Amino acid sequence: MSRAAAIETPLEHGRREDTGGVQLSGIRKSFGSLDIIHGIDLSIPEGAFTVFVGPSGCGKSTLLRMIAGLEEVTDGLIAIKGRDVTDLDPSDRGIAMVFQSYALYPHMSVRDNLAFGLKMANTPKEEIERRVAAASAILKTDHLLDRRPGQLSGGQRQRVAIGRAIVRKPDVFLFDEPLSNLDAELRVSMRIEIARLHRELGNTMIYVTHDQTEAMTLADGIVVLRDGRIEQVGSPREIYENPANSFVAGFIGSPRMNLLKAKRVGRQSLTLAGAMIEAPFPTDIDDAEEEITLGIRPEHLTVGHETLAGRSLAATVDFSEYLGGTQYLYCQLADGQAVTVEYRSSVPVRSADPIVLSWSPQMTHMFNGDGMRIKPTH
Ligand SMILES: Nc1ncnc2c1ncn2[C@@H]1O[C@H](COP(=O)(O)OP(=O)(O)OP(=O)(O)O)[C@@H](O)[C@H]1O
Ligand SMILES: [Mg+2]
């Protein structure tokens, strides 16, 4: 079984699992009368790279800070390596956290920044030197050891911040948006370095981001959060291919999935933008028309001029974005609904061009009026 597949939820409240990873049971957090986290149950397997992703303000940092011990829980239990750490100090939890704002000491050299935590813990001098040298080798910061943070680039500073976590040899690494201060190119290269670090060290890592590309590329398991609740837990592929609801469907994937207002008519069909189209699968519904949302990803739409019965719709191109390898077409259906298309052909498409969009019904998703995924009934 893959590590990602081992991510399971929910855990029964109060149950202690003797596993090596991180267990959250019934975690709640309120600031005064404001309820922020509404009861999170999650089991993160040892060694897995788990990403918390969700929109700004959904509680990702709060949840991570509670795992770190920087924030008290209002209710619930946190276990790390099978040990209840809910009431322990951050320094006793076996964790190390890397923040977005590096938090380096500006007056100390890189070497002293790396060594500082170990010195405070009265680690013997030779051991400190050994660990600093090992971390510096992993992160390729040897040539920077005598500089101060002010003499480093953003990416180098972030590397030192990660090095400071590595020297502590934590059971669990916690990252809170560590790359969001970096420019786009550096983000990509640091992302790859973090993936490599995980492969080399094999530690449990929990990584917070609102960047869904980081979530998709780094994670064994993704936890999608919204308003202090878990919307879905799964591997990147599970979440991409089988989003549990329209929120997850729209959040993961770029450009986002087209979520189109449609109606179910009979067992096999839908109406969308005035046309009759095929449902992704037959469903047991009565004759009443039911409002649903049909989800189609931009890359699953094909542009042509030929109408395929039940599998295509007429559209007009509003405008397009040329990205070199691909092109995004922002289109409108006959009823005015907007549709984004990922277009890879070299045949030019101009604004105001009438086109036909076609797709394979198997690549579409249906969500009910509450936004929940509709699954085949057989
Ligand atoms: N100390 C605090 N007192 C009151 N409210 C707080 C406090 N800290 C956080 N919050 C609120 O809790 C909610 C979750 O905040 P949190 O920082 O966890 O969000 P986030 O998901 O990390 O967002 P972002 O992506 O913007 O970093 C927000 O509505 C925030 O305003
Ligand atoms: Mg945050």
Side-chain angles (χ1 to χ4, degrees):
M1 185 171 60
S2 75
R3 285 185 301 205
I7 291 191
E8 51 188 7
T9 188
L11 263 187
E12 284 165 35
H13 179 80
R15 197 176 102 206
R16 309 273 181 85
E17 290 258 308
D18 187 22
T19 77
V22 177
Q23 275 71 47
L24 306 180
S25 314
I27 296 295
R28 292 179 184 278
K29 179 68 183 178
S30 310
F31 291 108
S33 60
L34 209 60
D35 297 334
I36 298 295
I37 304 286
H38 304 281
I40 297 259
D41 297 303
L42 182 69
S43 180
I44 294 171
E46 183 165 24
F49 198 117
T50 300
V51 174
F52 293 170
V53 70
S56 186
C58 71
K60 304 178 294 293
S61 296
T62 305
L63 198 55
L64 199 72
R65 290 169 59 81
M66 287 193 285
I67 297 170
L70 300 171
E71 202 76 73
E72 277 183 15
V73 302
T74 304
D75 195 11
L77 284 174
I78 300 172
I80 297 177
K81 283 209 149 185
R83 188 169 64 116
D84 183 352
V85 301
T86 316
D87 298 318
L88 295 186
D89 283 340
S91 57
D92 298 329
R93 294 187 178 204
I95 55 100
M97 187 147 164
V98 178
F99 299 90
Q100 174 183 348
S101 62
Y102 320 135
L104 301 176
Y105 301 107
H107 57 286
M108 286 183 199
S109 67
V110 167
R111 189 190 313 277
D112 290 342
N113 262 287
L114 291 174
F116 185 74
L118 298 176
K119 273 188 195 150
M120 295 310 282
N122 293 321
T123 312
K125 195 160 174 285
E126 307 77 66
E127 175 70 9
I128 294 181
E129 281 172 10
R130 195 144 31 88
R131 290 205 206 172
V132 167
S136 182
I138 290 175
L139 292 166
K140 303 187 182 72
T141 51
D142 286 351
H143 60 299
L144 306 173
L145 287 174
D146 295 319
R147 291 200 205 167
R148 292 190 178 184
Q151 299 166 312
L152 302 178
S153 71
Q156 290 167 335
R157 272 180 230 174
Q158 190 52 278
R159 221 171 284 177
V160 177
I162 294 171
R164 216 171 35 174
I166 293 176
V167 295
R168 299 184 51 196
K169 293 198 168 174
D171 295 323
V172 180
F173 282 87
L174 305 174
F175 296 93
D176 193 352
E177 308 231 18
L179 308 185
S180 50
N181 286 348
L182 306 178
D183 65 39
E185 199 179 330
L186 207 48
R187 278 181 84 118
V188 174
S189 64
M190 282 302 290
R191 193 172 82 205
I192 292 166
E193 287 204 30
I194 288 177
R196 185 173 54 82
L197 189 70
H198 180 244
R199 200 181 57 200
E200 281 177 19
L201 300 179
N203 291 61
T204 308
M205 296 190 176
I206 307 178
Y207 187 103
V208 162
T209 183
H210 56 247
D211 180 325
Q212 47 101 8
T213 309
E214 281 176 21
M216 290 297 283
T217 53
L218 285 169
D220 295 315
I222 295 181
V223 179
V224 184
L225 293 160
R226 175 168 61 157
D227 292 341
R229 291 190 175 83
I230 293 180
E231 292 285 321
Q232 190 169 3
V233 180
S235 69
R237 187 176 288 275
E238 280 159 3
I239 289 199
Y240 194 76
E241 292 181 359
N242 290 306
N245 54 49
S246 56
F247 171 78
V248 175
F251 192 76
I252 298 288
S254 177
R256 68 199 298 270
M257 185 190 285
N258 296 297
L259 296 169
L260 303 167
K261 286 201 189 82
K263 278 185 186 158
R264 283 210 278 185
V265 186
R267 274 176 48 77
Q268 307 269 8
S269 309
L270 310 172
T271 53
L272 170 61
M276 191 72 94
I277 61 168
E278 271 179 50
F281 44 82
T283 46
D284 297 335
I285 56 159
D286 39 37
D287 285 341
E289 295 193 350
E290 185 199 8
E291 308 256 347
I292 62 139
T293 300
L294 184 76
I296 314 182
R297 294 202 183 273
E299 67 269 33
H300 293 148
L301 285 164
T302 308
V303 176
H305 294 282
E306 203 181 330
T307 307
L308 303 170
R311 297 164 173 235
S312 66
L313 282 174
T316 42
V317 180
D318 265 347
F319 60 97
S320 62
E321 285 176 346
Y322 177 72
L323 284 95
T326 189
Q327 202 173 336
Y328 298 139
L329 308 180
Y330 300 95
C331 309
Q332 261 191 32
L333 300 180
D335 65 351
Q337 294 200 71
V339 179
T340 306
V341 182
E342 188 173 338
Y343 179 66
R344 290 186 174 274
S345 162
S346 57
V347 180
V349 178
R350 288 177 305 267
S351 294
D353 270 3
I355 52 171
V356 175
L357 299 176
S358 57
W359 62 87
S360 150
Q362 291 75 38
M363 302 310 280
T364 62
H365 309 258
M366 285 194 289
F367 304 97
N368 68 18
D370 298 324
M372 301 309 291
R373 177 182 197 79
I374 301 173
K375 297 182 188 132
T377 45
H378 52 271

